[in-house]
Amino acid sequence: MPDPATETADANASRGADGKGTTRVAYLGPMGTYSHQVAVGEFGKGLVYVGQGTIPAVFDAVQQGAAEFGVVPFENSTEGAVNPCLDSFTKGGVRIVGEAYLQIHHYLLLTHPSTPPTRIYSHPQALAQCSTYLSTHHPGAQIIPVSSTAAAAKMAKDQGEGTAAVASIMCAEVYGLEMGGREVEDRRDNTTRFFVIAPITTGTTSHPSSTPLSTTTSASTNPSKTLILFTVPHALPGALARALNALASRGLNLSMITSRPSGVRKWHYWFFVDVEADENDDRVKEALREMEGECEVVRVLGSYKSVR
Ligand SMILES: O=C(O)C(=O)C[C@]1(C(=O)O)C=C[C@@H](O)C=C1
C-alpha cells in the first residue's frame, strides 16, 4: 500500500482549520513520480502533496498560492536539462530555496508479464534515459511520451495487455503492475537534480526539510550556491565572456552553465549559471552590479544549500 506520507490532493486543497493552513507542496503528479518521491523525502509526513499535470503547472501552483512550495526536476546527469523547467524559471515569480539529488532507477512495468509490450509509455526524459535498453530489448514497440512516469504507469494499467510503462518501482505497487525489467536506465549513475521552489513574495529563504533525501550531511552546514539567469547582447563580441568574467575575476567558481533559446529572436539565449557562493556574499553582489552593465537582463533565481 502507498505510504500515507505520499497522500496527494488536488490543486484546490483547502487551507487547514487553524487559519494558518497545512503546508502544501506541489509536484509533477500523479502519485509515484520521482518528483513526488523527492517532495516526500524533503518535507516528510503531515503535509499536503498536490499533484500537477505538468512541470509548468507546478510553477503556476506555487506562484498563484495553491501551494507554499514546489519540487521540480532541473537537470539529469544522462540527458541534461529538463527544458520545461528551465523555460518556467525564465518567466519569474518563484524563488529557489533548496536542491535535492535522486539517483534514478527505472523499471519496465507490464500489465501482463507474459505478453511483450507493443506500446511503451513514459515521460520523455525517462524514455531518453533508457533509449539503448528500449531499442535493444523492444525494437518493435511504439514508444509514447506522456506527462510523467506515474501517468504512464496509470495509462498502462488502464489500457491493459500489450502496454507497458517506464517508471519507478513505487509505481509497480501503486498502480498494480508487474516487473518486466529492472534498472533499465542506460547508465547506472543516472541522477536527477531537483529544486525546491517557493513564491518570491514569501521572502522564504529555506524550506522545512528535516532530512534531505540525497545526503547524509546536514544541509545547514553546507556551502551555499546561487543560480543566476541572464541574457547578453549577442551582437557585441565578448559579451558572454565579460558577464562570466565579472564572476571569475572575483574568484567565484561556477559549477554549472546551460542555455535555452530565449524566444525573443533566433539565436538569442537565456544563460543559467550556478555560482558556488551565497547571494549575500559581497563578491556576488559586486559581480551582479558589474553584470547589470554587461547583460540585458540579470536575475538571481535563489541561493540554497549545496547538497552534492
Ligand atoms: O515523471 C517523473 O517521474 C518525473 O518526476 C519527471 C522526471 C523529469 O522530468 O526528469 C524526473 C526525473 C527523471 O529524470 C525522469 C522524469
Side-chain angles (χ1 to χ4, degrees), residues 138-178:
H138 299 282
Q142 204 186 340
I143 305 297
I144 306 167
V146 295
S147 59
S148 74
T149 54
K154 191 172 182 309
M155 253 177 213
K157 185 68 185 175
D158 292 346
Q159 293 184 14
E161 199 161 359
T163 57
V166 172
S168 68
I169 185 115
M170 182 179 167
C171 285
E173 195 184 343
V174 173
Y175 299 100
L177 293 164
E178 304 289 334

mmCIF file of all heavy atoms in Angstrom, residues 138-178:
data_model
loop_
_atom_site.group_PDB
_atom_site.id
_atom_site.type_symbol
_atom_site.label_atom_id
_atom_site.label_comp_id
_atom_site.label_asym_id
_atom_site.label_seq_id
_atom_site.Cartn_x
_atom_site.Cartn_y
_atom_site.Cartn_z
ATOM 1 N N HIS A 138 13.204 -3.933 -26.969
ATOM 2 C CA HIS A 138 11.840 -3.788 -27.509
ATOM 3 C C HIS A 138 11.870 -2.963 -28.796
ATOM 4 O O HIS A 138 11.216 -1.920 -28.895
ATOM 5 C CB HIS A 138 10.927 -3.122 -26.440
ATOM 6 C CG HIS A 138 10.834 -3.938 -25.202
ATOM 7 N ND1 HIS A 138 10.034 -5.050 -25.104
ATOM 8 C CD2 HIS A 138 11.485 -3.835 -24.017
ATOM 9 C CE1 HIS A 138 10.181 -5.594 -23.911
ATOM 10 N NE2 HIS A 138 11.059 -4.889 -23.230
ATOM 11 N N PRO A 139 12.644 -3.448 -29.820
ATOM 12 C CA PRO A 139 12.833 -2.637 -31.030
ATOM 13 C C PRO A 139 11.538 -2.357 -31.785
ATOM 14 O O PRO A 139 11.421 -1.317 -32.438
ATOM 15 C CB PRO A 139 13.810 -3.476 -31.874
ATOM 16 C CG PRO A 139 13.730 -4.854 -31.320
ATOM 17 C CD PRO A 139 13.358 -4.732 -29.879
ATOM 18 N N GLY A 140 10.560 -3.274 -31.656
ATOM 19 C CA GLY A 140 9.325 -3.077 -32.432
ATOM 20 C C GLY A 140 8.252 -2.296 -31.698
ATOM 21 O O GLY A 140 7.223 -1.930 -32.289
ATOM 22 N N ALA A 141 8.461 -1.999 -30.438
ATOM 23 C CA ALA A 141 7.393 -1.354 -29.652
ATOM 24 C C ALA A 141 7.290 0.136 -30.002
ATOM 25 O O ALA A 141 8.294 0.782 -30.333
ATOM 26 C CB ALA A 141 7.672 -1.519 -28.169
ATOM 27 N N GLN A 142 6.057 0.609 -29.914
ATOM 28 C CA GLN A 142 5.837 2.052 -30.119
ATOM 29 C C GLN A 142 6.196 2.756 -28.803
ATOM 30 O O GLN A 142 5.704 2.342 -27.730
ATOM 31 C CB GLN A 142 4.357 2.244 -30.405
ATOM 32 C CG GLN A 142 4.019 3.495 -31.171
ATOM 33 C CD GLN A 142 2.503 3.657 -31.270
ATOM 34 O OE1 GLN A 142 1.738 2.706 -31.108
ATOM 35 N NE2 GLN A 142 2.073 4.872 -31.538
ATOM 36 N N ILE A 143 7.042 3.782 -28.882
ATOM 37 C CA ILE A 143 7.482 4.500 -27.671
ATOM 38 C C ILE A 143 6.660 5.786 -27.583
ATOM 39 O O ILE A 143 6.721 6.629 -28.489
ATOM 40 C CB ILE A 143 9.002 4.824 -27.757
ATOM 41 C CG1 ILE A 143 9.816 3.533 -28.009
ATOM 42 C CG2 ILE A 143 9.476 5.565 -26.529
ATOM 43 C CD1 ILE A 143 9.738 2.494 -26.916
ATOM 44 N N ILE A 144 5.903 5.943 -26.498
ATOM 45 C CA ILE A 144 4.937 7.049 -26.453
ATOM 46 C C ILE A 144 5.217 7.961 -25.254
ATOM 47 O O ILE A 144 5.063 7.547 -24.091
ATOM 48 C CB ILE A 144 3.496 6.498 -26.377
ATOM 49 C CG1 ILE A 144 3.266 5.513 -27.533
ATOM 50 C CG2 ILE A 144 2.475 7.639 -26.414
ATOM 51 C CD1 ILE A 144 2.018 4.672 -27.409
ATOM 52 N N PRO A 145 5.642 9.217 -25.532
ATOM 53 C CA PRO A 145 5.905 10.136 -24.418
ATOM 54 C C PRO A 145 4.606 10.650 -23.801
ATOM 55 O O PRO A 145 3.667 10.991 -24.532
ATOM 56 C CB PRO A 145 6.683 11.289 -25.076
ATOM 57 C CG PRO A 145 6.469 11.161 -26.539
ATOM 58 C CD PRO A 145 5.952 9.794 -26.843
ATOM 59 N N VAL A 146 4.555 10.685 -22.488
ATOM 60 C CA VAL A 146 3.381 11.222 -21.764
ATOM 61 C C VAL A 146 3.876 12.154 -20.658
ATOM 62 O O VAL A 146 5.076 12.367 -20.506
ATOM 63 C CB VAL A 146 2.480 10.094 -21.207
ATOM 64 C CG1 VAL A 146 1.852 9.287 -22.336
ATOM 65 C CG2 VAL A 146 3.245 9.176 -20.273
ATOM 66 N N SER A 147 2.935 12.704 -19.884
ATOM 67 C CA SER A 147 3.274 13.820 -18.982
ATOM 68 C C SER A 147 4.182 13.440 -17.822
ATOM 69 O O SER A 147 4.915 14.289 -17.311
ATOM 70 C CB SER A 147 1.992 14.440 -18.449
ATOM 71 O OG SER A 147 1.240 13.461 -17.748
ATOM 72 N N SER A 148 4.167 12.189 -17.363
ATOM 73 C CA SER A 148 5.066 11.779 -16.268
ATOM 74 C C SER A 148 5.175 10.258 -16.261
ATOM 75 O O SER A 148 4.373 9.555 -16.906
ATOM 76 C CB SER A 148 4.544 12.265 -14.908
ATOM 77 O OG SER A 148 3.436 11.492 -14.492
ATOM 78 N N THR A 149 6.137 9.765 -15.484
ATOM 79 C CA THR A 149 6.325 8.311 -15.390
ATOM 80 C C THR A 149 5.120 7.662 -14.702
ATOM 81 O O THR A 149 4.698 6.569 -15.098
ATOM 82 C CB THR A 149 7.618 7.986 -14.612
ATOM 83 O OG1 THR A 149 7.570 8.648 -13.351
ATOM 84 C CG2 THR A 149 8.853 8.422 -15.378
ATOM 85 N N ALA A 150 4.569 8.315 -13.683
ATOM 86 C CA ALA A 150 3.423 7.734 -12.972
ATOM 87 C C ALA A 150 2.159 7.803 -13.831
ATOM 88 O O ALA A 150 1.317 6.893 -13.787
ATOM 89 C CB ALA A 150 3.220 8.443 -11.645
ATOM 90 N N ALA A 151 2.009 8.868 -14.634
ATOM 91 C CA ALA A 151 0.877 8.935 -15.578
ATOM 92 C C ALA A 151 0.986 7.779 -16.566
ATOM 93 O O ALA A 151 -0.020 7.171 -16.961
ATOM 94 C CB ALA A 151 0.871 10.278 -16.308
ATOM 95 N N ALA A 152 2.232 7.436 -16.953
ATOM 96 C CA ALA A 152 2.465 6.310 -17.872
ATOM 97 C C ALA A 152 2.033 5.001 -17.220
ATOM 98 O O ALA A 152 1.385 4.161 -17.862
ATOM 99 C CB ALA A 152 3.949 6.249 -18.240
ATOM 100 N N ALA A 153 2.382 4.829 -15.944
ATOM 101 C CA ALA A 153 2.020 3.590 -15.232
ATOM 102 C C ALA A 153 0.498 3.470 -15.149
ATOM 103 O O ALA A 153 -0.070 2.389 -15.357
ATOM 104 C CB ALA A 153 2.643 3.606 -13.842
ATOM 105 N N LYS A 154 -0.156 4.575 -14.851
ATOM 106 C CA LYS A 154 -1.625 4.567 -14.736
ATOM 107 C C LYS A 154 -2.262 4.217 -16.097
ATOM 108 O O LYS A 154 -3.197 3.422 -16.187
ATOM 109 C CB LYS A 154 -2.092 5.948 -14.256
ATOM 110 C CG LYS A 154 -3.528 6.010 -13.861
ATOM 111 C CD LYS A 154 -3.836 7.361 -13.221
ATOM 112 C CE LYS A 154 -5.288 7.421 -12.766
ATOM 113 N NZ LYS A 154 -6.237 7.044 -13.815
ATOM 114 N N MET A 155 -1.694 4.796 -17.174
ATOM 115 C CA MET A 155 -2.198 4.532 -18.533
ATOM 116 C C MET A 155 -2.044 3.068 -18.901
ATOM 117 O O MET A 155 -2.949 2.452 -19.475
ATOM 118 C CB MET A 155 -1.384 5.349 -19.538
ATOM 119 C CG MET A 155 -2.127 6.507 -20.108
ATOM 120 S SD MET A 155 -0.972 7.379 -21.173
ATOM 121 C CE MET A 155 -1.588 8.978 -20.890
ATOM 122 N N ALA A 156 -0.865 2.510 -18.584
ATOM 123 C CA ALA A 156 -0.619 1.093 -18.899
ATOM 124 C C ALA A 156 -1.638 0.232 -18.172
ATOM 125 O O ALA A 156 -2.214 -0.688 -18.759
ATOM 126 C CB ALA A 156 0.810 0.711 -18.510
ATOM 127 N N LYS A 157 -1.878 0.545 -16.899
ATOM 128 C CA LYS A 157 -2.838 -0.238 -16.124
ATOM 129 C C LYS A 157 -4.232 -0.138 -16.757
ATOM 130 O O LYS A 157 -4.937 -1.133 -16.910
ATOM 131 C CB LYS A 157 -2.865 0.288 -14.681
ATOM 132 C CG LYS A 157 -3.743 -0.521 -13.763
ATOM 133 C CD LYS A 157 -3.150 -1.909 -13.543
ATOM 134 C CE LYS A 157 -4.060 -2.801 -12.720
ATOM 135 N NZ LYS A 157 -3.531 -4.166 -12.616
ATOM 136 N N ASP A 158 -4.620 1.096 -17.133
ATOM 137 C CA ASP A 158 -5.955 1.314 -17.705
ATOM 138 C C ASP A 158 -6.117 0.607 -19.053
ATOM 139 O O ASP A 158 -7.183 0.106 -19.378
ATOM 140 C CB ASP A 158 -6.231 2.812 -17.886
ATOM 141 C CG ASP A 158 -6.375 3.530 -16.547
ATOM 142 O OD1 ASP A 158 -6.516 2.822 -15.522
ATOM 143 O OD2 ASP A 158 -6.315 4.779 -16.529
ATOM 144 N N GLN A 159 -5.011 0.579 -19.859
ATOM 145 C CA GLN A 159 -5.135 0.046 -21.221
ATOM 146 C C GLN A 159 -4.950 -1.474 -21.291
ATOM 147 O O GLN A 159 -5.356 -2.098 -22.260
ATOM 148 C CB GLN A 159 -4.160 0.751 -22.157
ATOM 149 C CG GLN A 159 -4.541 2.217 -22.332
ATOM 150 C CD GLN A 159 -3.641 2.923 -23.323
ATOM 151 O OE1 GLN A 159 -2.902 2.295 -24.069
ATOM 152 N NE2 GLN A 159 -3.714 4.244 -23.333
ATOM 153 N N GLY A 160 -4.273 -2.042 -20.275
ATOM 154 C CA GLY A 160 -4.180 -3.495 -20.195
ATOM 155 C C GLY A 160 -3.151 -4.124 -21.113
ATOM 156 O O GLY A 160 -2.135 -3.496 -21.458
ATOM 157 N N GLU A 161 -3.427 -5.352 -21.535
ATOM 158 C CA GLU A 161 -2.463 -6.204 -22.245
ATOM 159 C C GLU A 161 -1.790 -5.501 -23.424
ATOM 160 O O GLU A 161 -2.449 -4.803 -24.194
ATOM 161 C CB GLU A 161 -3.193 -7.456 -22.756
ATOM 162 C CG GLU A 161 -2.243 -8.570 -23.082
ATOM 163 C CD GLU A 161 -2.963 -9.923 -23.137
ATOM 164 O OE1 GLU A 161 -4.191 -9.961 -22.904
ATOM 165 O OE2 GLU A 161 -2.286 -10.916 -23.428
ATOM 166 N N GLY A 162 -0.466 -5.722 -23.534
ATOM 167 C CA GLY A 162 0.293 -5.153 -24.656
ATOM 168 C C GLY A 162 0.876 -3.779 -24.344
ATOM 169 O O GLY A 162 1.613 -3.229 -25.145
ATOM 170 N N THR A 163 0.536 -3.228 -23.175
ATOM 171 C CA THR A 163 1.085 -1.910 -22.829
ATOM 172 C C THR A 163 2.058 -2.041 -21.665
ATOM 173 O O THR A 163 1.964 -2.967 -20.858
ATOM 174 C CB THR A 163 -0.009 -0.893 -22.449
ATOM 175 O OG1 THR A 163 -0.759 -1.426 -21.360
ATOM 176 C CG2 THR A 163 -0.912 -0.586 -23.604
ATOM 177 N N ALA A 164 3.001 -1.090 -21.584
ATOM 178 C CA ALA A 164 3.990 -1.071 -20.503
ATOM 179 C C ALA A 164 4.334 0.378 -20.193
ATOM 180 O O ALA A 164 4.023 1.284 -20.973
ATOM 181 C CB ALA A 164 5.245 -1.827 -20.934
ATOM 182 N N ALA A 165 4.969 0.576 -19.042
ATOM 183 C CA ALA A 165 5.440 1.916 -18.662
ATOM 184 C C ALA A 165 6.867 1.814 -18.170
ATOM 185 O O ALA A 165 7.255 0.815 -17.569
ATOM 186 C CB ALA A 165 4.560 2.480 -17.550
ATOM 187 N N VAL A 166 7.653 2.861 -18.437
ATOM 188 C CA VAL A 166 8.957 3.021 -17.784
ATOM 189 C C VAL A 166 8.696 3.955 -16.613
ATOM 190 O O VAL A 166 8.291 5.109 -16.802
ATOM 191 C CB VAL A 166 10.002 3.618 -18.758
ATOM 192 C CG1 VAL A 166 11.279 3.965 -18.008
ATOM 193 C CG2 VAL A 166 10.291 2.644 -19.889
ATOM 194 N N ALA A 167 8.900 3.440 -15.404
ATOM 195 C CA ALA A 167 8.539 4.216 -14.211
ATOM 196 C C ALA A 167 9.315 3.675 -13.013
ATOM 197 O O ALA A 167 10.131 2.755 -13.147
ATOM 198 C CB ALA A 167 7.033 4.114 -13.973
ATOM 199 N N SER A 168 9.026 4.240 -11.853
ATOM 200 C CA SER A 168 9.736 3.848 -10.626
ATOM 201 C C SER A 168 9.169 2.539 -10.085
ATOM 202 O O SER A 168 8.032 2.170 -10.391
ATOM 203 C CB SER A 168 9.589 4.937 -9.570
ATOM 204 O OG SER A 168 8.242 4.989 -9.139
ATOM 205 N N ILE A 169 9.932 1.908 -9.202
ATOM 206 C CA ILE A 169 9.464 0.680 -8.555
ATOM 207 C C ILE A 169 8.208 0.962 -7.726
ATOM 208 O O ILE A 169 7.322 0.129 -7.616
ATOM 209 C CB ILE A 169 10.588 0.051 -7.686
ATOM 210 C CG1 ILE A 169 10.156 -1.292 -7.105
ATOM 211 C CG2 ILE A 169 11.013 0.942 -6.545
ATOM 212 C CD1 ILE A 169 10.935 -2.415 -7.623
ATOM 213 N N MET A 170 8.128 2.188 -7.206
ATOM 214 C CA MET A 170 6.963 2.560 -6.400
ATOM 215 C C MET A 170 5.674 2.470 -7.227
ATOM 216 O O MET A 170 4.621 2.098 -6.729
ATOM 217 C CB MET A 170 7.150 3.991 -5.875
ATOM 218 C CG MET A 170 6.054 4.487 -4.982
ATOM 219 S SD MET A 170 6.460 6.166 -4.450
ATOM 220 C CE MET A 170 4.891 6.634 -3.761
ATOM 221 N N CYS A 171 5.797 2.784 -8.522
ATOM 222 C CA CYS A 171 4.613 2.750 -9.397
ATOM 223 C C CYS A 171 4.099 1.327 -9.601
ATOM 224 O O CYS A 171 2.908 1.129 -9.856
ATOM 225 C CB CYS A 171 4.924 3.387 -10.753
ATOM 226 S SG CYS A 171 5.015 5.177 -10.674
ATOM 227 N N ALA A 172 4.980 0.321 -9.487
ATOM 228 C CA ALA A 172 4.532 -1.074 -9.642
ATOM 229 C C ALA A 172 3.488 -1.362 -8.573
ATOM 230 O O ALA A 172 2.442 -1.956 -8.848
ATOM 231 C CB ALA A 172 5.717 -2.021 -9.517
ATOM 232 N N GLU A 173 3.767 -0.892 -7.353
ATOM 233 C CA GLU A 173 2.867 -1.154 -6.234
ATOM 234 C C GLU A 173 1.621 -0.264 -6.304
ATOM 235 O O GLU A 173 0.494 -0.732 -6.180
ATOM 236 C CB GLU A 173 3.640 -0.907 -4.943
ATOM 237 C CG GLU A 173 2.934 -1.479 -3.745
ATOM 238 C CD GLU A 173 3.647 -1.151 -2.445
ATOM 239 O OE1 GLU A 173 4.826 -0.774 -2.464
ATOM 240 O OE2 GLU A 173 2.969 -1.273 -1.405
ATOM 241 N N VAL A 174 1.856 1.030 -6.543
ATOM 242 C CA VAL A 174 0.735 1.979 -6.537
ATOM 243 C C VAL A 174 -0.287 1.628 -7.620
ATOM 244 O O VAL A 174 -1.494 1.712 -7.392
ATOM 245 C CB VAL A 174 1.253 3.432 -6.724
ATOM 246 C CG1 VAL A 174 0.103 4.416 -6.905
ATOM 247 C CG2 VAL A 174 2.103 3.857 -5.537
ATOM 248 N N TYR A 175 0.188 1.234 -8.812
ATOM 249 C CA TYR A 175 -0.728 1.010 -9.939
ATOM 250 C C TYR A 175 -0.953 -0.476 -10.254
ATOM 251 O O TYR A 175 -1.625 -0.805 -11.229
ATOM 252 C CB TYR A 175 -0.229 1.783 -11.175
ATOM 253 C CG TYR A 175 -0.192 3.266 -10.880
ATOM 254 C CD1 TYR A 175 0.999 3.903 -10.546
ATOM 255 C CD2 TYR A 175 -1.373 4.014 -10.844
ATOM 256 C CE1 TYR A 175 1.027 5.253 -10.208
ATOM 257 C CE2 TYR A 175 -1.349 5.360 -10.501
ATOM 258 C CZ TYR A 175 -0.153 5.965 -10.186
ATOM 259 O OH TYR A 175 -0.151 7.300 -9.842
ATOM 260 N N GLY A 176 -0.373 -1.358 -9.447
ATOM 261 C CA GLY A 176 -0.625 -2.794 -9.605
ATOM 262 C C GLY A 176 -0.069 -3.352 -10.909
ATOM 263 O O GLY A 176 -0.780 -4.007 -11.677
ATOM 264 N N LEU A 177 1.221 -3.089 -11.174
ATOM 265 C CA LEU A 177 1.837 -3.577 -12.421
ATOM 266 C C LEU A 177 2.910 -4.623 -12.110
ATOM 267 O O LEU A 177 3.430 -4.681 -10.996
ATOM 268 C CB LEU A 177 2.440 -2.394 -13.194
ATOM 269 C CG LEU A 177 1.406 -1.401 -13.739
ATOM 270 C CD1 LEU A 177 2.082 -0.093 -14.133
ATOM 271 C CD2 LEU A 177 0.665 -1.985 -14.936
ATOM 272 N N GLU A 178 3.251 -5.413 -13.124
ATOM 273 C CA GLU A 178 4.240 -6.493 -12.969
ATOM 274 C C GLU A 178 5.606 -6.021 -13.470
ATOM 275 O O GLU A 178 5.696 -5.195 -14.373
ATOM 276 C CB GLU A 178 3.813 -7.710 -13.810
ATOM 277 C CG GLU A 178 2.432 -8.236 -13.509
ATOM 278 C CD GLU A 178 2.350 -8.924 -12.160
ATOM 279 O OE1 GLU A 178 3.394 -9.422 -11.687
ATOM 280 O OE2 GLU A 178 1.241 -8.960 -11.591
#
